[in-house]
Amino acid sequence: MRLSPTLKRAAVAAAAGIALVTGLSGTAQANPGHDFQNPVSSGCAADAYTARSQALYADGARVGTIELRYSPSCRAVWTRVYSNGSKVDGSTHRNETSTYSGHCINNLWDAGRGQYYCYTLMLDDAGYTSFGEGIAWNSANTRSSNWSATTSY
C-alpha cells in the first residue's frame, strides 16, 4: 500500500513527537534528585558555594552564621550553621513544596574558623527556591540566638 506524501509527513512528525516526549520523560526519571542525601558523602559539597548567609546574634553579640550552600553539579541546597559555642542547629526548607530537611545531622569542629558547625541533609533545588535557618550559642553556651533564616535562593 502506497501512502500519500501528506500522510508520510504526518507519520514522521508523530514518530518524532513520541521520541521527543519519551526522551524527555526518560531523562527526568533517570535523575531522582538529591533530597535527603548527605552533601559530603554524596560528593555534592565538592563544588558548593555559599549562596546566602545570615549572621546570628545573642544579646547584641554575633554568635554564629547561617549559610545556605548550593552545589551546581547536584542542583541541591543544604544549610550549614557556625557557632561560637558548642551548641548549633539548623534546617533547610524548600518554598514551593514546604519540604523540610530535618535538623543538622552532625556537630563538628572547624579548627580553621575556631567554631563548631553543623549541616543538614540536601534538598533538590532544580526549579525551586529554598532557605536555611539556624540557631547558635555563645562561647559559654549560656545564651543562644533566636532561630533566624537566610533569604531564599
Side-chain angles (χ1 to χ4, degrees), residues 19-63:
L20 181 61
V21 169
T22 303
L24 289 177
S25 65
T27 300
Q29 291 171 353
N31 182 6
H34 294 280
D35 278 352
F36 310 110
Q37 291 183 18
N38 184 313
V40 175
S41 62
S42 67
C44 293
D47 71 342
Y49 61 88
T50 300
R52 299 284 188 266
S53 67
Q54 176 66 44
L56 294 169
Y57 294 90
D59 296 330
R62 187 173 182 161
V63 295

Side-chain angles (χ1 to χ4, degrees), residues 13-116:
I18 290 169
L20 181 61
V21 169
T22 303
L24 289 177
S25 65
T27 300
Q29 291 171 353
N31 182 6
H34 294 280
D35 278 352
F36 310 110
Q37 291 183 18
N38 184 313
V40 175
S41 62
S42 67
C44 293
D47 71 342
Y49 61 88
T50 300
R52 299 284 188 266
S53 67
Q54 176 66 44
L56 294 169
Y57 294 90
D59 296 330
R62 187 173 182 161
V63 295
T65 306
I66 309 165
E67 297 177 340
L68 182 66
R69 305 283 293 164
Y70 177 74
S71 166
S73 64
C74 295
R75 295 183 72 178
V77 294
W78 64 94
T79 300
R80 181 169 66 185
V81 183
Y82 281 93
S83 176
N84 289 344
S86 62
K87 298 178 183 180
V88 61
D89 198 6
S91 60
T92 308
H93 300 266
R94 185 166 49 222
N95 291 313
E96 291 79 2
T97 62
S98 299
T99 305
Y100 163 69
S101 70
H103 291 272
C104 282
I105 58 175
N106 57 27
N107 192 1
L108 305 167
W109 174 253
D110 182 337
R113 289 178 76 156
Q115 291 183 308
Y116 283 91

